[in-house]
Amino acid sequence: MVFLLSLLCAWLYARYITRPIVRLSKISKQMAELDFSGQCSTGREDELGCLAQNLNSLSASLSTALNDLQTANQQLKTDIEKEQELERQRVDFFSAASHELKTPLTILKGHLAGMLNGVSGYENHIEYMERSLAVVDRMEQLVKELLYVSKAVGTQKTEYETVDFAEILRVQVAAVADLLEEKKQYLEANIPTHLYCVVEQSQMERAIQNILVNAIRYSPSGELIRIALSETHGTIRGEIENTGVRVPDDAIPHLFEAFYRADISRNRNTGGTGLGLYIVHKIMKMHHAKYGISNTSNGVRFWFELPCRQPIDNSI
């Protein structure tokens, strides 16, 4: 009986000792497989209980470190993809710019070679010199646009200030009055007396000018240009619509891309560089503005939204 009682006590004591060790071994194996969901029982006060507490602390630390590492890796992956996309856009931009410059250079070279070599048809030097000058003017305009884009996407300091946006719009409308008269188009403007917002004034003036010029150039003679500016619930909304024209629905998402042409021949005839709306896109994005282009029942409408801000009254 003493012998059997000794065996029973030995079995119970061995089970008391080995059971937590088996549990600790199982938890450590899960940790080796990067599974930190298991927890060791910490009810004991001896060395095994201390080891269990240490394993739990190690599991929590490793889990936190692994989550932080995964978050950092995901952020790094996102940053790399974004940088690759920017690099692709830069390559596409400069490739398109090179192509745009190559075409007028080829025309100019042909005119000069024809006049210098006395090729038949180039006897009237004055006529071809005038054509060459027009080509040079177009190249100059394109280069200016490229320089402006380079400046707009650069790291130069931008100064934002509270300005009267309604006045900016009125000034730009007055600046294109001659172009409206030349195209024999009509203007319908609904602009309030004052509407204030925080913008970089010179950049926003350029964006509004590009939108107005684009609307006038691509509308036929005798059509209507509608301009509306309003404020609702602290948001300024501007709309510029040109009638008598329509953009294919599949072309609308690409209109803000550099050198994109929904109609190549029409763009050539109007003398556009293909960078007008691309510059508008960059400026609006710089101001965190909402904007877009959509077809209407009788034309095309460009719209944008900016936060409204009341001017600071410094009077005493």
Side-chain angles (χ1 to χ4, degrees):
M1 291 296 294
V2 171
F3 178 73
L4 292 176
L5 182 61
S6 299
L7 288 178
L8 178 61
C9 291
W11 180 80
L12 291 174
Y13 185 75
R15 181 176 175 83
Y16 176 75
I17 294 296
T18 59
R19 188 174 183 179
I21 295 177
V22 172
R23 176 63 179 170
L24 292 175
S25 176
K26 182 179 178 181
I27 295 299
S28 62
K29 183 178 179 181
Q30 290 179 351
M31 292 172 60
E33 296 173 353
L34 301 180
D35 180 5
F36 305 105
S37 60
Q39 291 292 315
C40 301
S41 175
T42 58
R44 302 171 63 109
E45 298 294 336
D46 56 5
E47 288 79 2
L48 289 177
C50 181
L51 179 59
Q53 291 180 358
N54 292 338
L55 276 179
N56 289 338
S57 298
L58 178 61
S59 176
S61 299
L62 288 176
S63 178
T64 302
L66 183 61
N67 290 334
D68 292 342
L69 182 60
Q70 289 175 342
T71 302
N73 285 340
Q74 184 62 38
Q75 182 62 41
L76 179 60
K77 181 180 178 181
T78 302
D79 293 341
I80 291 175
E81 291 176 350
K82 186 181 297 184
E83 184 62 30
Q84 289 175 343
E85 176 63 19
L86 289 175
E87 183 62 26
R88 184 193 65 79
Q89 291 178 2
R90 282 193 289 266
V91 171
D92 292 344
F93 179 83
F94 286 112
S95 176
S98 300
H99 176 74
E100 291 295 320
L101 286 171
K102 180 181 178 181
T103 302
L105 282 173
T106 302
I107 296 173
L108 184 61
K109 182 179 179 180
H111 287 172
L112 294 175
M115 289 185 288
L116 289 174
N117 297 326
V119 177
S120 177
Y122 286 88
E123 292 83 1
N124 189 348
H125 289 185
I126 299 298
E127 177 185 352
Y128 283 96
M129 287 176 65
E130 291 176 350
R131 293 186 183 182
S132 298
L133 181 60
V135 173
V136 171
D137 288 340
R138 182 175 179 275
M139 290 177 60
E140 181 183 21
Q141 182 183 1
L142 178 57
V143 170
K144 288 181 179 179
E145 295 287 340
L146 290 172
L147 291 174
Y148 186 87
V149 170
S150 176
K151 179 181 178 182
V153 300
T155 58
Q156 78 283 358
K157 184 178 179 181
T158 304
E159 296 182 359
Y160 293 89
E161 56 183 343
T162 302
V163 299
D164 187 353
F165 197 91
E167 183 62 21
I168 289 178
L169 187 55
R170 276 192 291 269
V171 170
Q172 295 307 313
V173 169
V176 298
D178 292 340
L179 187 58
L180 277 168
E181 185 177 352
E182 179 183 339
K183 293 291 294 284
K184 296 181 175 58
Q185 294 171 346
Y186 303 96
L187 177 67
E188 181 182 295
N190 183 12
I191 304 174
T193 305
H194 300 289
L195 272 182
Y196 294 90
C197 64
V198 179
V199 298
E200 208 290 326
Q201 184 168 346
S202 61
Q203 299 277 21
M204 189 55 66
E205 287 175 348
R206 181 61 179 269
I208 298 300
Q209 182 187 79
N210 283 4
I211 298 167
L212 289 172
V213 171
N214 192 76
I216 295 171
R217 280 179 172 172
Y218 293 123
S219 280
S221 298
E223 292 295 336
L224 178 65
I225 306 295
R226 292 192 184 95
I227 301 173
L229 189 67
S230 60
E231 184 269 330
T232 305
H233 304 301
T235 299
I236 293 178
R237 180 179 176 89
E239 296 182 355
I240 300 174
E241 179 183 358
N242 52 309
T243 62
V245 67
R246 188 174 181 84
V247 178
D249 293 335
D250 58 345
I252 290 179
H254 304 285
L255 291 179
F256 294 104
E257 297 176 4
F259 303 109
Y260 179 80
R261 292 184 174 92
D263 186 339
I264 296 178
S265 61
R266 186 182 66 178
N267 189 281
R268 299 290 188 188
N269 292 334
T270 54
T273 61
L275 288 174
L277 289 180
Y278 178 75
I279 291 175
V280 172
H281 156 71
K282 287 294 182 182
I283 295 174
M284 291 296 174
K285 187 176 180 180
M286 182 178 71
H287 287 82
H288 305 288
K290 297 179 180 179
Y291 62 96
I293 292 178
S294 60
N295 286 311
T296 63
S297 58
N298 191 32
V300 178
R301 177 190 294 123
F302 174 89
W303 62 270
F304 62 91
E305 292 182 350
L306 289 165
C308 182
R309 179 174 178 178
Q310 295 300 323
I312 300 175
D313 188 0
N314 296 322
S315 61
I316 299 177

